[in-house]
Amino acid sequence: MRKNTGILLSILFLLFLFFPQQNAWAMHIMEGFLPLKWCLFWYALTLPFLVAGILSIQKAVKVDPGVKMLLGLAGAFAFVLSALKLPSVTGSCSHPTGVGLGAILFGPWAMSVLGCIVLLFQAVLLAHGGLTTLGANTFSMAVVGPLVAYVIYRLGERLALPRWLSVFLAAFLGDLLTYVTTSIQLALAFPASHGGVVAAMIKFMGIFAVTQVPLAISEGILTIIVFNFLVAHNRHELEQLRVLSRGV
């Protein structure tokens, strides 16, 4: 099982190597774009989720140390997908988020930590920028996105939807709501001269809806493929994490 997860990690690493990277300012809210008060606000709002995430990861690893490989896979999946940057609007960039898979496997709190680490590595190691906006970017991609993905997946299971559909909707909406949140963050910081925050939010969301929907669909399909691979080769770990019911 660990060998198969290792194969997936190798594939993600190769995708990252061969995908052309932008040099700088590629974070979805770039470095230095938000006023200081909003940077501090989003840092403060994100911090409790990170604390809850660390406790959640410690609990999962304590119950079954074997899930560490899956934890690494969830982080690598988010790292590679969120590194695929596309220019969007001034001061921002669109990309898949990859947080839906980790949220389904480990829950939203754990994914807040993994998502924050992913964004920090991209800012520091890939020169994508975004240290001052790390709190805001973490809140949209690693807090709101995973929360939406987790709730949608669990709701799909409760409604007895086909599992592939639950996974797709979780990844799709988790991705899309990340950018709805980003639109709100930008609108709060830069309200329109006519119409204020609401007018600015409609403008940002209108642009993001065009660029993000195809990316969210692609992420949903890719997440189904990876999830099905894990169901076939890591059933024991998924049962330990209560993603799958035993014997089903």
Side-chain angles (χ1 to χ4, degrees):
M1 287 183 286
R2 291 187 176 185
K3 179 181 177 182
N4 291 318
T5 308
I7 292 173
L8 262 182
L9 283 170
S10 300
I11 293 172
L12 290 172
F13 180 70
L14 289 174
L15 279 174
F16 174 73
L17 279 183
F18 288 104
F19 193 89
Q21 296 298 302
Q22 297 180 9
N23 291 328
W25 317 124
M27 202 62 68
H28 60 278
I29 298 180
M30 71 178 190
E31 180 66 47
F33 194 71
L34 289 179
L36 177 61
K37 67 176 183 179
W38 285 110
C39 293
L40 296 176
F41 173 79
W42 292 115
Y43 263 110
L45 204 60
T46 300
L47 186 59
F49 295 95
L50 296 179
V51 174
I54 292 171
L55 296 176
S56 175
I57 291 174
Q58 287 178 335
K59 181 180 178 181
V61 172
K62 185 177 181 180
V63 171
D64 182 5
V67 301
K68 289 179 181 176
M69 185 67 83
L70 278 182
L71 202 60
L73 173 66
F77 188 72
F79 183 84
V80 172
L81 263 65
S82 60
L84 310 182
K85 312 290 188 183
L86 296 172
S88 183
V89 296
T90 300
S92 70
C93 188
S94 291
H95 54 79
T97 65
V99 298
L101 179 67
I104 292 171
L105 298 179
F106 292 97
W109 316 129
M111 206 57 216
S112 67
V113 177
L114 294 182
C116 182
I117 293 172
V118 163
L119 292 171
L120 181 62
F121 276 19
Q122 289 174 355
V124 175
L125 302 180
L126 302 184
H128 283 181
L131 287 176
T132 61
T133 55
L134 182 63
N137 289 329
T138 299
F139 187 82
S140 61
M141 192 185 97
V143 174
V144 174
L147 269 171
V148 171
Y150 179 78
V151 170
I152 294 297
Y153 179 75
R154 291 299 177 186
L155 183 61
E157 292 287 285
R158 182 164 294 186
L159 295 175
L161 295 179
R163 182 170 291 136
W164 67 267
L165 183 57
S166 298
V167 172
F168 174 82
L169 291 175
F172 172 78
L173 291 174
D175 180 307
L176 205 56
L177 267 294
T178 292
Y179 282 88
V180 170
T181 305
T182 301
S183 300
I184 295 171
Q185 291 172 321
L186 291 172
L188 287 171
F190 305 103
S193 54
H194 299 288
V197 172
V198 174
M201 186 175 65
I202 292 173
K203 181 188 71 174
F204 284 121
M205 287 178 63
I207 297 172
F208 277 131
V210 175
T211 59
Q212 197 61 27
V213 168
L215 293 176
I217 293 173
S218 302
E219 180 174 339
I221 295 172
L222 183 59
T223 304
I224 292 173
I225 295 171
V226 174
F227 185 84
N228 287 342
F229 183 92
L230 295 177
V231 171
H233 300 285
N234 294 76
R235 174 169 286 276
H236 171 72
E237 286 84 354
L238 296 185
E239 289 177 349
Q240 288 290 331
L241 293 169
R242 298 181 179 179
V243 177
L244 300 178
S245 301
R246 295 180 187 278
V248 177

